[in-house]
Amino acid sequence: MSLRDRKVIVTGGPTREWIDPVRYISNASSGKMGAALADAAHERSAETVFIHGPVDGSIIAGRPYRTVAVESTEDLLDAVMGELRGGAVLIMAAAPADYRPAERSGLKIKKKSDELRIDLVKNPDILKTVASRKAADPSLEGIFVVGFAAETHDVEAYALTKLKEKDLDMICLNDVAKEGAGFSTDTNIVVVFTRGGGRLDFPLMTKKELAAGILDKIEDELGTRNQ
Ligand code: CTP
């Protein structure tokens, strides 16, 4: 089933959690996979929005669809919730920071003792929030939710657990320990698992090729859902 009449929301890149005015916690996500997915979605869908954390300007420059810049995981959650509507496809390729400093210092933390401890608190899980909102809000009927799992060990078990716990329609497993897969590369190796127990292995390929393959799979799944 074509994505032509569906809004596609793609997230990508890291988030940033400030410790003080000059330091933050983040991760190595480049936003390349998200941008490739948004590019591919734009070719098929009437409405694509790419919500991204702090990424290199080249990732979003000249993109022919709407881009929304966010900084923290809480900002990303608000932006995703603001864009969601019934029947939308949400592809969460972003790597949100799971924790943020319990307190953000307004002043630069000065170097004093030999050890420094920063208390962190858990950020909201965006996909779990989407799952509970979807269950409670009939206006979100028909949304199709795709997650990513970046893993280094026990990769399939973790991906399948996330598929279930985050109530996803599909999960794209990314074994970041493999050569050619992962954050800053232009290539990736992904295995897709679906809600219905399906599995699709993509060998090493460019993120652009992979994005097209993932969107083909989403269209297939939407087709079987409507039969
Ligand atoms: N994700 C999310 N909200 C978060 C963290 C992650 O929605 N606070 C989404 C990611 O965008 C991805 C999926 O959940 O689609 C899995 O992210 P990942 O970082 O692999 O897993 P976590 O749930 O953060 O678990 P862990 O870090 O323990 O592997």
Side-chain angles (χ1 to χ4, degrees), residues 11 73 76 91-99 123-129 146-151 158 162 166 168 171:
T11 71
T73 295
L76 180 58
I91 309 177
M92 279 289 298
D98 288 327
Y99 293 88
N123 268 327
D125 187 297
I126 297 163
L127 285 173
K128 284 187 182 167
T129 311
V146 182
F148 271 71
E151 307 291 350
Y158 279 126
K162 285 174 188 172
K166 299 187 188 226
L168 304 176
I171 192 154

